[in-house]
Amino acid sequence: MSINAKKKIVIGNWKMNLTVPESIILSERIEKEMASYKYTDVVVCPSFLSIYPVSSILKDSPIKIGAQNLFYEEKGNFTGETSPSQLRGFADYVIIGHSERRIFLGERDKDIAKKVKTAVTFGFTPIVCFGETLQERGDGLGKVVVTSQLEAVLGLLTANEVANVIVVYEPVWAISPSDRVCAPKDAVYIIEALRNLTGALYGKDMAEKMRFIYGGSVDDKNAKEFLKERLIEGFLVGGASMDHNGFLSIIRDVEKSASRSSKNIPGK
Ligand code: 13P
């Protein structure tokens, strides 16, 4: 499959923001103005408490729901966790291994690997995040860190299981409120390394089928610059996904770029 034949994807990660009423208002606004796009999938990831009302609002729209985490056991005495069977029916996607969970909650590669395995077993599409800290980047270790995270987390999956995984490069140092920006070329450098490693583990065809996307301070002003890079196949958007106008504008930019590449019209 050519890289241009896949759909691109825009995922909004609302993180631990927005109350339930605020999440309802935002999802109603997005739903009202959302068109149906041929080349772009759209996902929003509210906090757990808001997933149920937001999923009811979006049930007849093309927008899919993602969770921001899930636990690797199906049920049991795991206070505060949410299992894949509880989530089933309300979400199709799940973010796993976000750097905020790695840093603030101590999630390790081996926990993340188990969660990814559970997610695919239960039919969710895992959105798996990889990224280096500023210190690691400064030490020239960005590529090594990120590729070793990928190997530890995805290396245990079978080819069938990995096929649906969405790989996200999210440099920790470029996530808001950081004022540092990742140049599109630097994002591509790491995404290419992640693609190559996936290709080495699962074959080039598999890497071609999977989606590799970027996250870190993406907004309606800089999205077009990233989209000039053919290897960036979508975005995981934090802060800017909670402004419905900005989020919809990013989606339209992605659709335009995907439509151009499907016709092999250069975007630059
Ligand atoms: P920002 O877009 O707010 O930088 O967040 C990125 C992110 O962490 C999305 O998961």
Side-chain angles (χ1 to χ4, degrees):
M1 182 193 280
S2 109
I3 193 168
N4 291 336
K6 303 177 247 192
K7 273 187 151 187
K8 300 209 173 177
I9 188 160
V10 182
I11 303 158
N13 178 9
W14 298 353
K15 306 193 180 183
M16 199 182 72
N17 296 299
L18 307 179
T19 60
V20 172
E22 287 166 345
S23 303
I24 290 173
I25 291 170
L26 176 60
S27 49
E28 283 172 348
R29 285 187 176 146
I30 297 173
E31 194 267 340
K32 206 165 138 218
E33 291 179 38
M34 175 79 189
S36 195
Y37 292 110
K38 188 167 167 199
Y39 302 103
T40 312
D41 289 327
V42 178
V43 181
V44 294
C45 305
S47 62
F48 275 110
L49 211 50
S50 296
I51 284 181
Y52 178 65
V54 170
S55 68
S56 321
I57 291 164
L58 299 180
K59 70 177 184 322
D60 297 322
S61 89
I63 307 165
K64 300 285 184 209
I65 304 285
Q68 298 176 18
N69 181 33
L70 102 169
F71 197 58
Y72 44 76
E73 296 290 346
E74 193 180 348
K75 64 175 180 175
N77 304 333
F78 302 102
T79 301
E81 294 297 327
T82 305
S83 79
S85 43
Q86 290 171 322
L87 205 53
R88 202 144 57 175
F90 300 102
D92 295 309
Y93 292 75
V94 57
I95 298 174
I96 301 179
H98 194 284
S99 61
E100 286 151 12
R101 295 197 61 84
R102 291 178 190 257
I103 293 167
F104 300 122
L105 295 150
E107 270 192 18
R108 302 157 300 176
D109 284 338
K110 63 178 185 182
D111 307 312
I112 297 164
K114 284 202 265 184
K115 290 180 176 194
V116 173
K117 185 88 177 172
T118 301
V120 294
T121 307
F122 280 82
F124 295 97
T125 298
I127 302 159
V128 190
C129 303
F130 305 98
E132 82 285 12
T133 63
L134 188 60
Q135 165 101 44
E136 289 161 343
R137 176 180 162 84
D139 293 342
L141 295 174
K143 186 161 132 180
V144 174
V145 166
V146 172
T147 49
S148 64
Q149 287 172 345
L150 183 134
E151 191 157 19
V153 166
L154 300 189
L156 303 177
L157 301 181
T158 64
N160 272 347
E161 288 171 335
V162 87
N164 274 329
V165 171
I166 296 171
V167 173
V168 191
Y169 172 50
E170 276 211 330
V172 177
W173 49 271
I175 293 175
S176 58
S178 163
D179 51 11
R180 288 169 205 273
V181 287
C182 179
K185 290 265 177 278
D186 293 343
V188 166
Y189 172 73
I190 299 286
I191 285 178
E192 200 159 25
L194 293 171
R195 276 178 68 97
N196 290 343
L197 175 59
T198 309
L201 293 169
Y202 294 101
K204 257 182 125 174
D205 285 356
M206 183 59 75
E208 282 286 302
K209 277 187 208 147
M210 290 165 59
R211 288 184 281 196
F212 293 78
I213 70 173
Y214 171 76
S217 298
V218 173
D219 60 25
D220 53 343
K221 290 169 201 75
N222 61 22
K224 283 197 191 75
E225 285 308 306
F226 285 103
L227 291 168
K228 287 179 183 168
E229 301 295 341
R230 166 188 86 89
L231 288 184
I232 298 179
E233 299 166 315
F235 299 123
L236 179 55
V237 187
S241 70
M242 288 176 284
D243 161 45
H244 74 286
N245 286 321
F247 188 56
L248 290 160
S249 158
I250 296 170
I251 297 165
R252 285 192 294 269
D253 284 343
V254 170
E255 175 72 5
K256 262 187 231 150
S257 133
S259 152
R260 266 198 308 263
S261 33
S262 79
K263 294 169 190 125
N264 282 322
I265 302 168
K268 298 193 192 195

